[in-house]
Amino acid sequence: MAYRWNNNLKDADVTPEKMFMNRRALLAGMAAATVLPSISNAAVETPEPNSWEDITSYNNYYEFGTGKGDPAANAHQLTISPWSVRIDGMVDNPGDFDFNDIVSQMTIEERIYRFRCVEAWSMVVPWNGFELADLLNLAGVKSGAKYVAFETLNRPSEMPGLRYNVLDWPYVEGLRLDEAMHPLTIMATGIYGRDIPKQNGAPMRLVVPWKYGYKSIKSIVRITLTDKEPPTSWNRSQPSEYGFYSNVNPEVDHPRWSQSSERKIGGGLFSKRIPTLMFNGYEDEVAGLYAGMDLEKYH
Ligand code: MTE
C-alpha cells in the first residue's frame, strides 16, 4: 500500500485518499469490498458519496448538449476505443500514447473528492484514476515548461452539441505546471470502481478538486506542455465571469451570483445550502501554491 500524500483533511465532507486500489490486484479478482475494511481511517469520517444515478445523470458536457440530461441521453454515440492521447510541446518523449498502454503503467487509486460546480451545486464522487503527475513524468517534462494545456475530442459525427456555437470548439483547459503536478490532481478513468461513463468524460478526464468543475475537462485527446498560459474555453467565452485559475473561493463571487454556499445534489429540491469552503476544503494542501497572489485578480 502506498499513501501518496498526507491524510490531514479535517472536514468530514472532504475526503482525501481513502484506499489504494491496484488495478492488477482488481483484475486478479480481488473485490474492492475485501480491500476496503483493512484500510479504515478512524480520524476521518467517511462522507456520503452521491449515488451512481446522481453522478451519471446530472452532467455538463456541452459537446452532447447544454441540458443537464443531454450528456446521459447522447453520449452513448461516442466511440472510445481505440483512444490515444497526444502529448506534445515541451516534453522529452512527444507522441501519441495509447490509452490502454497508459493505464497499464499507472497506479489506479480511489479518491473520494468533493466536486463543486460554478453553478453552486456539488457532489461527492468516488473517482478511480491516477495522478496526472505520473502521466506527465512518462512523457518527461522539459525544464522551462510552465503550463499544461488540455484538449477534448472534437468529433462532430458523434457529438451533436458541436453544431452549436455555445463555446469555441474543441473544449480546452489549462493548469499551471505546479497545479498539474500536485498529488490531488488526477486523471479519472472510473467511478465506483467501474469504467467512467461516457457522459462523465470517458475514457479519461481531469479532476482538480480545489477548482470549479469546468476545469475538469473531459475525454482528453491532447496534452501540451508550454511556457505560456494556455487559453481556456470558458475564459474565452466570458472572460469577466471565468478566470484562468477558477479556484473555489467563497469570498470571490461570480459576477451574477454568490459562491459562498452550495447545494449538494441528491438531497431533494429543498435540501439546505451548506457553506462553501476555501479551495473546496483542500486549503491545507493547496493554499501554498497561491501564496502572495491576489486571488480576486487571479480568479
Ligand atoms: N469537458 C468538456 N469537454 N465539455 C464540457 O462541456 N463541462 C465542464 C467539465 N468538463 C465540460 C467538460 C463542467 S461545466 C463541469 S461542471 C464538469 O465537466 C462536470 O463534470 P461531471 O459531468 O462529471 O459532473
Side-chain angles (χ1 to χ4, degrees):
M1 175 177 330
Y3 275 98
R4 309 282 286 267
W5 82 90
N6 280 337
N7 178 359
N8 58 1
L9 292 183
K10 290 163 220 92
D11 183 79
D13 256 6
V14 186
T15 304
E17 180 181 44
K18 268 292 200 253
M19 81 188 235
F20 168 90
M21 192 164 52
N22 184 293
R23 192 177 188 86
R24 288 198 188 83
L26 272 185
L27 288 176
M30 189 194 255
T34 62
V35 180
L36 255 176
S38 62
I39 313 170
S40 62
N41 184 340
V44 180
E45 227 178 279
T46 306
E48 192 59 51
N50 278 90
S51 67
W52 172 264
E53 181 61 24
D54 286 344
I55 295 168
T56 61
S57 65
Y58 191 86
N59 303 100
N60 279 335
Y61 195 165
Y62 279 19
E63 286 86 337
F64 294 103
T66 54
K68 301 290 181 205
D70 290 344
N74 297 325
H76 63 91
Q77 301 169 57
L78 183 64
T79 310
I80 53 166
S81 179
W83 192 275
S84 67
V85 185
R86 174 158 299 176
I87 307 185
D88 61 4
M90 302 173 78
V91 290
D92 299 325
N93 317 304
D96 293 324
F97 293 71
D98 178 72
F99 174 71
N100 293 322
D101 283 351
I102 292 174
V103 166
S104 70
Q105 296 176 67
M106 296 290 139
T107 302
I108 306 289
E109 301 168 40
E110 179 176 276
R111 305 269 183 99
I112 303 174
Y113 284 161
R114 185 204 305 238
F115 187 77
R116 169 66 157 79
C117 220
V118 73
E119 297 135 322
W121 52 266
S122 63
M123 293 200 197
V124 175
V125 183
W127 301 106
N128 309 99
F130 54 84
E131 291 183 13
L132 174 62
D134 290 345
L135 177 59
L136 297 180
N137 289 334
L138 197 68
V141 178
K142 283 195 161 144
S143 68
K146 293 194 180 75
Y147 295 90
V148 188
F150 303 87
E151 197 176 303
T152 293
L153 179 73
N154 186 12
R155 190 182 288 155
S157 61
E158 295 180 356
M159 297 171 134
L162 293 177
R163 265 184 268 138
Y164 307 100
N165 292 328
V166 282
L167 290 171
D168 248 347
W169 309 113
Y171 195 102
V172 291
E173 256 305 336
L175 293 174
R176 220 170 53 191
L177 184 62
D178 56 348
E179 299 175 323
M181 294 301 242
H182 193 280
L184 285 173
T185 302
I186 58 169
M187 278 292 177
T189 56
I191 293 173
Y192 273 113
R194 296 161 65 175
D195 283 348
I196 194 165
K198 293 177 179 177
Q199 60 269 36
N200 292 86
M204 140 175 147
R205 58 84 65 82
L206 188 67
V207 178
V208 193
W210 70 93
K211 294 181 181 280
Y212 291 114
Y214 60 90
K215 296 297 280 186
S216 292
I217 180 171
K218 295 173 166 176
S219 307
I220 295 166
V221 292
R222 187 171 180 192
I223 299 175
T224 307
L225 278 291
T226 161
D227 57 3
K228 308 219 165 36
E229 187 181 285
T232 72
S233 286
W234 283 100
N235 176 252
R236 217 152 49 179
S237 106
Q238 278 146 306
S240 65
E241 303 193 2
Y242 307 103
F244 176 78
Y245 285 92
S246 312
N247 292 319
V248 174
N249 187 337
E251 284 148 34
V252 176
D253 288 335
H254 181 280
R256 289 183 281 137
W257 56 77
S258 164
Q259 292 290 33
S260 66
S261 68
E262 66 202 57
R263 194 173 58 83
K264 190 179 162 194
I265 293 294
L269 207 55
F270 303 105
S271 67
K272 69 175 168 40
R273 301 181 73 85
I274 50 175
T276 289
L277 299 171
M278 189 65 196
F279 295 114
N280 207 21
Y282 301 91
E283 189 170 10
D284 288 351
E285 283 75 12
V286 302
L289 297 174
Y290 311 102
M293 275 176 70
D294 176 345
L295 295 180
E296 193 142 358
K297 183 173 173 204
Y298 297 101
H299 64 92

